[in-house]
Amino acid sequence: MRIGVVTFPGSLDDGDAARAARIAGAEAVRLWHGDPDLHGVDAVVLPGGFSYGDYLRCGAIARFAPVMESIIDAARGGLPVLGICNGFQVLCEAHLLPGALTRNQHLHFRNRDQWLKVESTNTAWTNNFTGGQEILIPVKNGEGCYVADAKTLDALEAEGRVIARYVRGNPNGSQRDIAGITNEAGNVVGIMPHPEHAVEALTGPSLDGLGFFTSVLRALAGATAGGQLAGGQQ
Amino acid sequence: MTTQQDKPSGFAATDVLVNKFEDGPDTVEKAEKAPDELQPFADLGLKDDEYAKIREILGRRPTASELAMYSIMWSEHCSYKSSKVHLREFVAKVPKNTRMLAGIGENAGVVQVSDDLAVTFKVESHNHPSYVEPYQGAATGVGGIVRDILAMGARPIAVMDPLRFGAADHPDTARVLPGVVAGIGGYGNCLGLPNIGGEIVFDPCYQGNPLVNALSIGVMPVERLQKKEATGTGNIVVLMGARTGRDGIGGVSVLASATFDEEAEQRRPSVQVGDPFMEKLLIESCLELYDAGLVSGIQDLGGAGLTCALTETAAAAGTGMRVWLERVPLREASMSPTEILASESQERMLLIVTPENLEAVLKVAEKWGVWATAIGEVTPAGADGTPGRLLITWNDHVVVDVPPGSLADDGPVYDRPMREPSDLILLQADRAETLHRPSTGDELRETVLRMIASPNLCDKTWVTEQYDRYVLGNTVLAQPEDSGVLRLDEVTNLGVALSVDGNGRYARLDPYEGAKLALAESYRNVAVTGAEPIAVSDCLNFGSPEDPAVMWQFAQAVRGLADGCQQLGIPVTGGNVSFYNQTGAAAIHPTPVIGVLGLFDDVTRRIPMGFKNNGELLFLLGETRAELSGSEWAWVTHDHLGGRPPKVDLAAEQALGKLMAQASKAALVSAAHDLSDGGLAQVLVESCLRHEVGATVTFPADGESAFVQLFSESAGRALVAVPVGHEKAFVALAAEFGVPIAQIGVTSPEATLTVTDQFAIPLAELRTAFTETLPKLFGGSAELVNRAAPVEVEAPVSEGRSVTLELTEPKPGGPIES
């Protein structure tokens, strides 16, 4: 399986996302922001960082990168896409996910090891977790406060599209403690904490982050075998 | 016309001269025609005899641009004119070392760590700018040191920041500290460099002169080492990166090389403004250029900007250089040639490129979206072998024509008068060992709680969680551990440990021993993780060199550091001197900050500081003496500074280091923590709280009192946790290396720190005392809960899902361990 990792100018965790994909057993393929060719990858990770210096608004410029046009099209067609941190911001700016990420409520960048509760496990990126499972993943962001209007938040909860919530403390003020969400089809996931930094005992607080990457491999294997992505109804 | 009242100072003064000529800038031709023109050299910080020397070198008066360049390059910051005679000690006493590939005088020292990899690291100051404008001052301090690392050919892989502020509760500290921390985080995080450690120290002596030092480390394939020499006649000089603006003009000569006075606030235009996004692109462009072999020479632009980069690259090669200044991309078109040469705009590099590679270089720059402009070319040295000249024109006006070596290498050198501070004898006689000590269990308990809540010893999470420690995915240990530990190679697990330490109080009491103690502490911090210390970098922060007492402190500290490195057998590979950390007559404590680099053949064997399992045996290594002078205890509980600092025994430090390296290789130890500020009490608290594991400690009845055991700051000590079954082997190993060892307790299943016959404190109580201080001083999550939570339109807040920010810190650390 080939997982593409996009590098925008200012992407920082792109190498780490590629490493995580490799550790999970995939082939990591680096994608360049200026190249619309997806090189036949089976899934895409939009990594953390400060794409285009976070100028204008986090993710607002990246959303118009040539590679994003291809990714937006492919995601609407079912390609599994994971946006981590800045990648989550890009997905919101691209309207693949609802809502927005705003300045942390306490106005500081915050980096800590954060407990999450996985809620929705019927997505391409979370199917290897169990519902209610608590996982420990580093969070590090300055603008990670998830906001949306009440109707959207209610709909996300009603449709089981909140994939994880912050537990034992909310690090940035996100509404309803939301750490990550998915689209209606379950193939596009955005998450603020960094699963790619919890994939090795030597460098991470846990190995919990691997679950996101093994999930997509499982979803892809299922899709190959059954002709359908795991992202749909289960 | 200017009058006496509105007489401009600093670099604005040079414009007076420029403006007097109606037909363009001051040129060499005009300098020859009007040799007696009065020049504002004193306003630029040049002395009478220095100005006379410039006239002698040029055989005429300098042009306005030349005058500015000399004032910059001959400033204390660039020329090291007061420190040079003392810094020679480092070279004279450098221990034999085959690892060093580049040393003092280069942008940063480089040491070889394996057959194919080398590491470069350096610590530098950005003190004055950070006081004037804390955010940008600190941010560009990070940017500057990172470019030094990049210029050597390395990919920067981490940063650290030793910081010193005035009293924690002083109103101005509440202005400076949050800005500095946000600046370091804002720049480093956006650059994608993990912040893996540092120091935060409060002392009233830093009130008007906070110390913002920044360290960066990089790694490279050995063959990628870059040179700064502008070799090769006809080669092209390329300026790459950000456009040049009016920021930071006069930074090194005005800000960094003079004592602060009341006008400091008006010097904000002298502080540079950073753009970390541009620096990130610059890093990636440079690394791509290195790997493609497209660069013949490279130098970063930092303090002294284009002036420094042009003269140093040419002087290093002995060549000349021809530069067309109007080609420099500007942010403001109206900039004068002098301003272009003096600008300290950030995120710029100067490349020397062969003509055939130029197109490829520009293509790489274009790929990453950075400006790259050919601004000049390398010209030959004289036919007789004399160095070439630096010729700079601006729209066909010759504004500079100088021998580059006269700027870069031939600056003035001063052997300034020195005198032991007159109060030192009295200060040393006022020993802390005579102060009233707590004696009962209750008093000791109260003292522990008071000490760990004091600003210097308390938990620093409020600061460190504003830094990204994870990016790049190779951080093995970061703050609050004794050292930052990084993996360099995912295949071999080759790794490094890095620590920076200094103690201004010790150095105030005895600068020679104080410098050695700082070296010893940094060395020990690296050694207790199991790494082998291999190299040193330093940032020497002092008051005004024009004060003989400060100069004496400086000379003593340099000698102490050089002697110490010689004894330990590890070289000083580079560093930085910061003088004029002084407001009025009051200088800061002499503050040598020492960085030590250690090496792991296999970084998976690193030893962390926290207790992980109960039932393990606690051993104290080293000898505890009643050494309280200069200690944190004397300062916190008696407001006392006097006496002589703890004795330093570098042979004992070395033995301790060898023991720890061996114990790490044999996997005998599960945790180890260096003893320094605050003594054993502090170490017990930190090691217990790291993973919520309690401990019970019993002191031998025939030894020093419990108070001395808990609060002495004797050097050469560490606390280690040894799993049952390994104790015999560990004790035997300690004996083999001659390290004094005493079993003082066990880790316990109870969440309590107990000192037998004295006191017991629940970990929760310790945590509260330890963690509350900084959030209370600088605001934190607690304050935020009182603010209006974001309003959820129309939706009732469901139970357990409202927007709340935690009041208590979650437990650090995770469930897994290696």
Side-chain angles (χ1 to χ4, degrees), chain B residues 235-564:
Chain B
N235 278 352
I236 311 292
V237 180
V238 174
L239 183 61
M240 185 166 86
R243 286 184 295 168
T244 300
R246 280 200 168 98
D247 55 329
I249 288 180
V252 294
S253 56
V254 180
L255 264 190
S257 299
T259 304
F260 267 158
D261 52 33
E262 283 158 9
E263 290 172 34
E265 287 293 325
Q266 296 162 20
R267 291 189 172 145
R268 204 163 279 128
S270 296
V271 180
Q272 311 96 326
V273 177
D275 177 358
F277 175 56
M278 178 58 77
E279 180 122 324
K280 167 72 178 166
L281 301 179
L282 198 56
I283 290 173
E284 299 303 333
S285 318
C286 284
L287 293 173
E288 193 166 328
L289 291 173
Y290 299 154
D291 284 336
L294 294 172
V295 178
S296 310
I298 186 159
Q299 168 80 316
D300 65 296
L301 278 74
L306 207 47
T307 292
C308 180
L310 293 172
T311 53
E312 284 194 358
T313 50
T319 51
M321 208 177 264
R322 171 82 174 83
V323 176
W324 290 266
L325 220 45
E326 70 277 7
R327 296 184 185 174
V328 173
L330 300 179
R331 291 180 201 162
E332 292 167 84
S334 62
M335 286 177 73
S336 73
T338 306
E339 287 176 314
I340 298 169
L341 285 165
S343 165
E344 293 186 8
S345 286
Q346 297 288 292
E347 294 95 23
R348 298 180 298 163
M349 301 290 275
L350 191 76
L351 316 179
I352 311 298
V353 175
T354 62
E356 58 271 24
N357 283 337
L358 181 62
E359 200 174 325
V361 168
L362 299 182
K363 217 168 220 169
V364 170
E366 191 185 343
K367 172 187 165 188
W368 286 101
V370 301
W371 293 74
T373 315
I375 62 165
E377 65 181 32
V378 178
T379 55
D384 55 351
T386 53
R389 289 182 79 85
L390 175 61
L391 185 77
I392 302 178
T393 57
W394 182 75
N395 294 320
D396 297 331
H397 300 286
V398 179
V399 292
V400 174
D401 182 1
V402 295
S406 70
L407 286 149
D409 305 321
D410 303 339
V413 175
Y414 296 130
D415 195 352
R416 293 193 186 270
M418 299 187 284
R419 194 180 56 242
E420 184 180 303
S422 50
D423 64 351
L424 193 61
I425 287 180
L426 284 174
L427 194 66
Q428 288 179 339
D430 179 19
R431 300 168 60 241
E433 285 75 11
T434 62
L435 298 171
H436 175 74
R437 305 174 183 183
S439 54
T440 68
D442 282 348
E443 283 172 357
L444 285 172
R445 189 183 197 280
E446 286 316 303
T447 307
V448 169
L449 288 168
R450 183 173 170 192
M451 292 283 290
I452 62 171
S454 67
N456 287 342
L457 297 182
C458 71
D459 175 50
K460 302 298 190 299
T461 301
W462 186 89
V463 169
T464 57
E465 75 175 6
Q466 296 189 45
Y467 307 145
D468 183 346
R469 75 185 57 189
Y470 280 107
V471 66
L472 298 182
N474 287 314
T475 307
V476 177
L477 294 178
Q479 60 272 6
E481 298 284 340
D482 286 330
S483 294
V485 173
L486 297 167
R487 174 176 61 186
L488 297 180
D489 187 323
E490 287 181 46
V491 178
T492 64
N493 281 325
L494 184 78
V496 288
L498 197 54
S499 178
V500 274
D501 295 284
N503 187 318
R505 285 201 306 266
Y506 290 167
R508 174 74 175 90
L509 298 178
D510 185 337
Y512 178 84
E513 294 294 323
K516 274 190 171 181
L517 278 162
L519 173 66
E521 188 189 343
S522 197
Y523 182 95
R524 197 182 324 125
N525 273 325
V526 164
V528 295
T529 65
E532 177 205 354
I534 57 168
V536 174
S537 181
D538 63 66
C539 190
L540 306 172
N541 304 278
F542 287 78
S544 167
E546 294 162 42
D547 176 346
V550 169
M551 211 54 226
W552 180 84
Q553 291 172 327
F554 180 77
Q556 291 286 317
V558 167
R559 200 166 56 80
L561 183 57
D563 286 349

Side-chain angles (χ1 to χ4, degrees), chain B residues 669-701:
Chain B
V669 171
S670 66
H673 198 348
D674 138 85
L675 268 67
S676 55
D677 304 5
L680 179 63
Q682 178 73 13
V683 162
L684 284 168
V685 170
E686 288 179 358
S687 291
C688 283
L689 290 182
R690 189 81 168 117
H691 304 294
E692 294 286 318
V693 173
T696 301
V697 170
T698 308
F699 296 123

Side-chain angles (χ1 to χ4, degrees), chain A residues 7-14 16 19 22-23 32-33 50-55 105-115 119 136 138-140 145 147-151 153-154 157 165 168-177 197 200-208, chain B residues 186 189-192 275-278 280-281 367-368 462 464-476 487 490 493 603-604 606 778-781 784 787-796 798 800-806 809-818:
Chain A
T7 299
F8 299 105
S11 289
L12 304 177
D13 302 290
D14 44 344
D16 305 323
R19 182 195 291 116
R22 280 198 304 275
I23 290 173
W32 182 245
H33 70 108
F50 292 71
S51 60
Y52 302 92
D54 271 359
Y55 293 141
Q105 198 192 356
H106 46 74
L107 307 180
H108 295 298
F109 185 96
R110 179 168 284 174
N111 177 10
R112 61 166 56 160
D113 298 339
Q114 176 69 44
W115 286 100
E119 296 204 348
L136 186 67
V139 66
K140 50 182 190 109
C145 177
V147 296
D149 60 42
K151 206 173 118 196
L153 293 171
D154 290 342
E157 290 183 338
R165 286 186 214 262
R168 308 185 205 178
N170 177 333
N172 48 34
S174 279
Q175 291 186 326
R176 304 193 194 180
D177 299 331
H197 288 303
E200 291 183 282
L202 185 65
T203 56
S206 74
L207 300 181
D208 295 343
Chain B
N189 296 343
C190 191
L191 212 46
D275 177 358
F277 175 56
M278 178 58 77
K280 167 72 178 166
L281 301 179
K367 172 187 165 188
W368 286 101
W462 186 89
T464 57
E465 75 175 6
Q466 296 189 45
Y467 307 145
D468 183 346
R469 75 185 57 189
Y470 280 107
V471 66
L472 298 182
N474 287 314
T475 307
V476 177
R487 174 176 61 186
E490 287 181 46
N493 281 325
V603 74
T604 61
R606 87 293 185 201
F778 302 109
S781 35
L784 280 152
R787 278 195 205 172
V791 182
E792 286 189 16
V793 186
E794 297 165 15
S798 54
R801 290 180 185 171
S802 59
V803 181
T804 51
L805 290 166
E806 65 282 16
E809 302 291 305
K811 287 181 192 177
I816 69 139
E817 231 0 280
S818 54

Side-chain angles (χ1 to χ4, degrees), chain A residues 46-76:
Chain A
L46 302 178
F50 292 71
S51 60
Y52 302 92
D54 271 359
Y55 293 141
L56 185 59
R57 220 172 35 244
C58 304
I61 302 176
R63 172 245 179 286
F64 293 102
V67 75
M68 279 307 295
E69 288 178 23
S70 310
I71 289 172
I72 291 168
D73 281 351
R76 294 203 169 116

